[in-house]
Amino acid sequence: MKDQTFFGHPRGLAVLFFAELWERFSFYGMRALLILYLTASIADGGLAFDASKAAAIYAVYTSMVYLLGLPGGWLADRVFGQRRSVLYGAILITIGHFSLAVPSLGFFYVGLLLIVVGTGLLKPNISTIVGQLYERSDERRDAGFSIFYMGINFGAFGGPLICNWLGENYSWHLGFGAAGVGMTLGLIVYLMFGKTLGEAGKLPANHDDPEDQARSRRTLRNGLVGAATIAVAATLAVKVGGVTIGAEAISNAFGIILIVLSIGFFFWLFRSHPWTPEERGRLGAIVILFVAAAFFWGAYEQAGSSLNLFARDFTQRTVLGFSFPAGYFQSVPALFVILQAPIFAWLWVKLGRKQPSSPFKFALGLVFVGFGFVIMSVGATKGGQVSPMWLISTYFFHVIGEMCLSPVGLSTVTKLAPERVTSLMMGVWFLAAALGNYLGGRTAGFYESLSLSQLFGAVAATVIVAGIILGLMSGRIQRMMGGIR
Ligand code: GLN
């Protein structure tokens, strides 16, 4: 008999649900503080960076978190297995947040680095273990992922409520420390109840191939030596050579690397095998959906950057005499996900075969997120402190967009990929998020130099036009997909 104790799902799902809940609590709590801390005046305990520099740092950080999911997935497959990768990741993230709790610039940057590496190890692999809890044919699988997505958003809801309450009212570092406490709870859950996961994710995929294991360990060692060399050389250049490297310059270079990497990856993917014309069509569809997802996240993820600044500077934050922290608005999208996800799940089932195709859902996602920015662009013309309803209604539409795009995204991309490259598709999905987070971060760099109405209007126009083009092409893309919906 199957053990069904977590809403009719394997017991291991509960462990992953709570571990990821606390990881996202720490991630989103810290993220909701980040740009506010970077731009706050010295008198307010901040770093007093201008918006352009702050956005440059924010963009690289939030992008790297997803980008390092690629080596993180590789390491789990080849060296550690998923279970140990998640454990190491959770430890690094915990130390990272506590490092941010120390009021020193050095600890700050080290903390960001640790969180980036730790999340790269944890985030893709914890999702992979979710999948491994089910047999291939188990019909509960999709539902399992939906429950897991709820856990993500419970964490994302709670993080800003606690971290920004402490961080904005008392001390930034206290807020970062609270994120560390959250991640510690996740780590404890994972350590105490990891046993219920059974064999899932215990061994690396190459466990019966000692040669591949040796080769992978060598690659890991070379990678670490390479990274350490670059780090030492950069430190020497700055400390001894007197070289000054600005945050914007690093961020620009990072952006170029990200784009070259994405183009290079798809180039390689197309040439890596003599694909049949049908497979080529499907890969082409993946490229288009990838670009659409990057645009979508580029708009959506401004919740933590430009919209967070807007909440602080131009939004009334007093209700019935109580004033609340700017970062509280970051909990709103998570709350909408929790409320809307069951409605959308019901809607798609109800529509059955009449539901829109996945390219058309992507197009809808872009148009909805763009519509949210239309609202912001109007709100920004009002001047003074505007009603919270502007941001709240913006997030309402952003989450409708997310419901159209995010849950179908990974599964469509995975189904479209030829079998020999399916495991790469999680990486493709993370690469799109990395690009999107980068774009969304850098956009906030114009916060002081453009009028906000123009800035939000430009974002709206870009994603809505992209959405319309995608919508018009969706029939064609559907045909490229060769029977997959
Ligand atoms: N909000 C989701 C999460 O944190 C998706 C984020 C993303 O892929 N950009 O997991």
Side-chain angles (χ1 to χ4, degrees), residues 174-389:
L174 201 58
F176 291 135
V181 173
M183 189 64 241
T184 308
L185 294 175
L187 183 57
I188 293 174
V189 169
Y190 190 69
L191 282 173
M192 280 181 60
F193 302 103
K195 289 185 293 294
T196 57
L197 294 168
E199 289 307 303
K202 268 243 155 107
L203 295 171
N206 63 356
H207 63 92
D208 45 12
D209 183 352
E211 233 169 82
D212 189 74
Q213 287 186 328
R215 214 173 325 125
S216 304
R217 274 198 296 270
R218 268 200 305 280
T219 310
L220 169 62
R221 202 174 48 228
N222 294 343
L224 287 177
V225 170
T229 313
I230 295 173
V232 171
T235 313
L236 284 178
V238 173
K239 296 271 177 206
V240 183
V243 177
T244 45
I245 323 176
E248 281 103 327
I250 295 180
S251 201
N252 291 343
F254 177 81
I256 294 170
I257 294 173
L258 205 54
I259 291 168
V260 171
L261 209 71
S262 310
I263 297 174
F265 171 77
F266 282 110
F267 201 70
W268 168 83
L269 189 60
F270 271 94
R271 316 209 63 187
S272 66
H273 191 77
W275 305 115
T276 64
E278 182 174 55
E279 286 171 329
R280 278 184 180 276
R282 288 182 179 168
L283 288 175
I286 290 179
V287 175
I288 298 170
L289 297 181
F290 170 86
V291 174
F295 272 105
F296 175 82
W297 294 120
Y300 181 93
E301 298 288 10
Q302 286 182 49
S305 62
S306 59
L307 297 179
N308 200 9
L309 293 173
F310 188 86
R312 178 189 68 188
D313 297 334
F314 303 111
T315 307
Q316 287 162 18
R317 288 186 281 113
T318 309
V319 181
L320 308 170
F322 288 103
S323 65
F324 61 91
Y328 274 25
F329 283 102
Q330 306 293 295
S331 295
V332 173
L335 183 62
F336 280 139
V337 173
I338 294 166
L339 297 175
Q340 288 183 21
I343 301 175
F344 272 86
W346 169 83
L347 182 70
W348 299 143
V349 172
K350 173 137 178 88
L351 287 175
R353 289 199 61 81
K354 283 201 288 273
Q355 67 180 286
S357 67
S358 35
F360 199 79
K361 283 185 188 164
F362 269 61
L364 288 174
L366 284 165
V367 171
F368 277 116
V369 81
F371 185 69
F373 272 97
V374 171
I375 296 176
M376 279 319 295
S377 144
V378 177
T381 59
K382 300 288 170 199
Q385 308 287 102
V386 303
S387 152
M389 283 317 288

Side-chain angles (χ1 to χ4, degrees), residues 4-24:
Q4 302 183 322
T5 54
F6 191 62
F7 298 108
H9 284 261
R11 276 204 303 165
L13 185 64
V15 186
L16 303 175
F17 177 95
F18 286 107
E20 177 65 345
L21 184 158
W22 286 115
E23 185 272 326
R24 291 284 101 182

Side-chain angles (χ1 to χ4, degrees), residues 24 28 66 123 149 152-153 297 301 402 433 437:
R24 291 284 101 182
Y28 284 109
Y66 291 100
K123 184 91 165 104
Y149 208 71
I152 287 179
N153 285 287
W297 294 120
E301 298 288 10
E402 179 179 0
N437 274 275

